[in-house]
Amino acid sequence: MGNADNTTHREPWNKGKIVGQKAPFKLKDIWALRVRFQMEGRVRELALFNLGIDSKLRGCDLVALRVRDVSHGDQVASRAIVMQHKTLRPVQFEITQATRDALQAWIKRAGLKQEDFLFPSRLHGSPHLGTRQYARILGHWVDELGLERADYGTHSMRRTKATLIYRRTKNLRAMQLLLGHAKLESTVRYLGIEVDDALEISEQTEI
């Protein structure tokens, strides 16, 4: 039998890493990036960023979108519906005018057809942007904003608009539908709203 000295030491997978919910972007961050993309002519990134915020889709669903998923003929639709890979449940999302304009410009610039992936990969052998590529792109955005990479991830994009809407409406059921969650409890945990609401109530209570 081997002794303890021969046992391979395994470090915890999360040692030195920040784990847990990734922070949503603030309005000032959203507009800072949009203005930068527009001024620098970064058409693809503006389309990807705007659609990521609007759609509230998981990264795997966002990168797998085809042109036909968001457009009717030559026009980008104001609403779309896709089947989620994780839950196999359909989810609908709105496409705001700013996002439609950005998508229209990108589709035209890239010469994309209806059956094409909306965000083709620039890497050989990959038909569309991968989730890791998407995460790397987002990491560069976070760097440009001067924020900490460890605090943000692709789920920051998914959470941003949902968090803003919830803060304005306090409508949990609407958030559940927009995020495509099967259970309301999942929405509560995902947005971390129990803690936020409890703190808000506590702050408003003077003793």
Side-chain angles (χ1 to χ4, degrees):
M1 291 180 62
N3 55 39
D5 292 335
N6 294 328
T7 303
T8 302
H9 175 68
R10 293 181 180 274
E11 296 227 340
W13 69 270
N14 58 351
K15 183 179 181 180
K17 298 181 180 179
I18 297 176
V19 296
Q21 294 286 17
K22 296 300 182 180
F25 289 105
K26 297 178 181 178
L27 276 175
K28 65 176 184 178
D29 300 326
I30 295 170
W31 283 106
L33 280 176
R34 282 175 174 164
V35 170
R36 182 184 289 256
F37 295 155
Q38 290 170 344
M39 292 183 66
E40 297 178 0
R42 293 155 66 176
V43 180
R44 176 177 181 252
E45 289 177 81
L46 180 61
L48 179 62
F49 179 76
N50 279 359
L51 188 58
I53 294 292
D54 269 1
S55 70
K56 301 166 287 291
L57 290 173
R58 295 178 181 86
C60 60
D61 294 320
L62 178 65
V63 298
L65 289 172
R66 294 180 185 267
V67 175
R68 63 175 181 241
D69 293 324
V70 299
S71 68
H72 301 307
D74 296 332
Q75 299 298 315
V76 176
S78 60
R79 292 184 181 181
I81 181 169
V82 297
M83 190 68 69
Q84 301 173 98
H85 285 82
K86 182 178 180 179
T87 64
L88 299 180
R89 292 166 58 91
V91 64
Q92 295 188 63
F93 58 89
E94 75 287 356
I95 306 176
T96 60
Q97 185 62 56
T99 300
R100 294 201 296 273
D101 292 343
L103 286 171
Q104 198 78 54
W106 165 240
I107 291 169
K108 183 178 180 180
R109 167 79 66 87
L112 300 176
K113 297 179 175 61
Q114 284 287 301
E115 66 274 12
D116 292 337
F117 285 106
L118 193 54
F119 301 106
S121 176
R122 293 174 177 172
L123 298 180
H124 179 69
S126 180
H128 59 72
L129 191 70
T131 51
R132 288 187 179 182
Q133 290 173 274
Y134 175 43
R136 281 196 293 271
I137 291 170
L138 186 136
H140 291 309
W141 294 343
V142 173
D143 289 344
E144 290 184 71
L145 290 169
L147 302 173
E148 290 291 333
R149 274 204 188 197
D151 296 338
Y152 296 85
T154 56
H155 273 277
S156 296
M157 299 286 287
R158 178 163 157 77
R159 294 183 69 210
T160 293
K161 194 167 186 177
T163 301
L164 289 171
I165 294 171
Y166 176 75
R167 286 174 182 167
R168 291 174 184 170
T169 67
K170 303 297 183 183
N171 190 327
L172 262 180
R173 174 58 178 162
M175 294 307 93
Q176 180 190 4
L177 292 172
L178 291 173
L179 291 168
H181 286 155
K183 297 180 180 179
L184 198 61
E185 291 82 359
S186 299
T187 307
V188 170
R189 286 196 305 271
Y190 191 76
L191 296 179
I193 55 181
E194 284 186 319
V195 174
D196 288 343
D197 287 351
L199 287 171
E200 186 177 328
I201 291 169
S202 182
E203 288 168 351
Q204 294 172 355
T205 304
E206 296 185 7
I207 297 177

